[in-house]
């Protein structure tokens, strides 16, 4: 696969590698079956911040704090991951929450899934979660990999996590 960026001359010095990571994450994801918007975009935002942090293009913790602030805006309005389960087209009613939930809350959902997994490992998430998604579907993959009984249990646990203090979340 390849990526082509149009009008990238207007981007800042660090935008290219970060956007490249984000978009190439989608290329990786698309070799697996469809997943909801929050899992797809959240994964791309998480890996953009994580890999960008490893290369010192971005401060990972600061990027995740910014995502948490945006996620909490939607959470305060009683909106969450379950509202962003679109597979193809974003529902009209969710457009104003798309960034907050799919991208930002989704990035934290990925971090939560990894943190709740047996190995707490990003590489295990990459190497084990996605094949599980292919074999079992996204609902079972999220539930099993995060140690949840089912998707509702995962959503419940994640919503409790969102209500914790930032010290507990990090």
């Amino acid at each position: 696969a390849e990526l082509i960026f149009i009008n990238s001359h207007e981007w800042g010095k660090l935008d290219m590698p970060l956007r490249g990571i984000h978009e190439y994450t989608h290329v990786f994801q698309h070799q697996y079956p469809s997943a909801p918007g929050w899992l797809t975009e959240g994964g791309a935002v998480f890996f953009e911040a994580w890999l960008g942090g490893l290369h010192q293009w971005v401060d990972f913790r600061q990027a995740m704090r910014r995502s948490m602030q945006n996620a909490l805006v939607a959470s305060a309005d009683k909106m969450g991951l379950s509202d962003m389960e679109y597979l193809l087209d974003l529902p009209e009613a969710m457009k104003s929450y798309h960034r907050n939930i799919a991208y930002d809350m989704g990035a934290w959902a990925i971090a939560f899934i990894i943190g709740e997994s047996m190995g707490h490992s990003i590489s295990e998430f990459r190497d084990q979660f996605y094949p599980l998604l292919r074999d079992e579907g996204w609902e079972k993959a999220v539930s099993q990999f995060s140690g949840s009984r089912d998707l509702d249990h995962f959503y419940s646990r994640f919503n409790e996590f969102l209500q914790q203090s930032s010290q507990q979340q990090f």
Side-chain angles (χ1 to χ4, degrees):
E2 61 184 81
L3 298 174
I4 298 171
F5 292 105
I6 299 172
N7 297 327
S8 60
H9 63 280
E10 297 176 4
W11 295 355
K13 180 180 172 184
L14 298 179
D15 285 337
M16 184 66 83
L18 295 176
R19 288 188 189 186
I21 292 168
H22 182 102
E23 297 307 330
Y24 199 76
T25 298
H26 291 319
V27 171
F28 171 79
Q29 291 168 334
H30 289 303
Q31 67 179 319
Y32 296 97
S34 294
W38 68 261
L39 187 58
T40 302
E41 293 299 348
V45 170
F46 177 84
F47 282 108
E48 170 188 329
W50 177 255
L51 293 171
L54 291 178
H55 292 282
Q56 299 179 346
W57 297 324
V58 67
D59 181 317
F60 175 73
R61 293 173 81 71
Q62 183 179 6
M64 292 302 285
R65 279 189 188 95
R66 190 172 32 255
S67 284
M68 181 56 77
Q69 289 172 342
N70 291 336
L72 291 176
V73 168
S75 183
D77 287 345
K78 306 291 187 223
M79 305 300 281
L81 297 176
S82 63
D83 298 303
M84 201 58 66
E85 289 185 350
Y86 68 92
L87 296 177
L88 293 175
D89 296 321
L90 176 66
E92 185 69 32
M94 294 308 299
K95 285 188 176 180
S96 63
Y97 291 100
H98 191 236
R99 174 77 209 185
N100 300 77
I101 299 174
Y103 290 77
D104 296 315
M105 191 180 287
W108 272 99
I110 300 303
F112 182 78
I113 291 168
I114 293 167
E116 295 296 308
S117 70
M118 295 277 290
H120 314 289
S121 167
I122 293 168
S123 61
E124 285 182 12
F125 178 79
R126 180 197 61 222
D127 297 341
Q128 296 174 15
F129 175 81
Y130 285 99
L132 186 61
L133 183 145
R134 177 192 60 230
D135 297 341
E136 300 291 336
W138 74 267
E139 296 97 337
K140 283 189 176 182
V142 167
S143 301
Q144 289 177 13
F145 202 81
S146 68
S148 300
R149 288 187 306 274
D150 55 29
L151 191 59
D152 287 336
H153 184 231
F154 166 78
Y155 284 152
S156 175
R157 292 173 60 220
F158 180 70
N159 288 334
E160 289 173 13
F161 168 78
L162 288 177
Q163 303 311 311
Q164 294 177 345
S165 71
S166 60
Q167 290 80 14
Q168 292 171 304
Q169 292 166 341
F170 276 88

